[in-house]
Amino acid sequence: QVQLVESGGGLVQPGGSLRLSCAASGSIFSWNTMGWYRQAPGKQRELVAVMLSGIANYADSVKGRFTISRDNAKNTVHLQMNSLKPEDTAVYYCYLFAAVAYWGQGTQVTVSS
């Protein structure tokens, strides 16, 4: 059984930065896709950034501002978010695919002055 636990959300002013972390436990392998999705109020959950075999893919809306990183030895994935905008406000979910999709409980990110 895989479990994902996120941390690092919070309230930040526009232009600020936050770093999200996700710790995975269970049967995790370096080739499993891990990453981040987000869901804003009234909107569908959308991909933010994922990493597979060392290759990162980003949503166009976050390219150049967000950076995903992964530590396979520690089974952790991080999302460094810079130059945050109000439209980045959402619940951010850690994601892992290992035959099936696993999701964390979500962490709130609010960008507001």
Side-chain angles (χ1 to χ4, degrees), residues 6-18:
E6 302 108 332
S7 60
L11 173 65
V12 64
Q13 293 186 341
S17 298
L18 280 175

Side-chain angles (χ1 to χ4, degrees), residues 20-93:
L20 304 182
S21 296
C22 174
S25 60
S27 297
I28 311 299
F29 300 97
S30 61
W31 58 83
N32 295 141
T33 300
M34 288 191 73
W36 297 90
Y37 281 68
R38 68 186 180 187
Q39 187 167 18
K43 295 187 177 181
Q44 290 188 332
R45 191 171 297 188
E46 63 177 3
L47 181 146
V48 177
V50 292
M51 181 169 281
L52 173 61
S53 298
I55 298 174
N57 287 291
Y58 298 93
D60 287 343
S61 59
V62 307
K63 283 180 180 177
R65 300 188 298 121
F66 291 12
T67 303
I68 188 172
S69 61
R70 181 170 176 175
D71 186 335
N72 290 323
K74 296 181 179 180
N75 288 334
T76 56
V77 63
H78 307 280
L79 186 68
Q80 178 65 43
M81 305 186 293
N82 298 328
S83 302
L84 283 161
K85 305 175 180 180
E87 50 264 42
D88 295 317
T89 295
V91 177
Y92 284 69
Y93 295 91

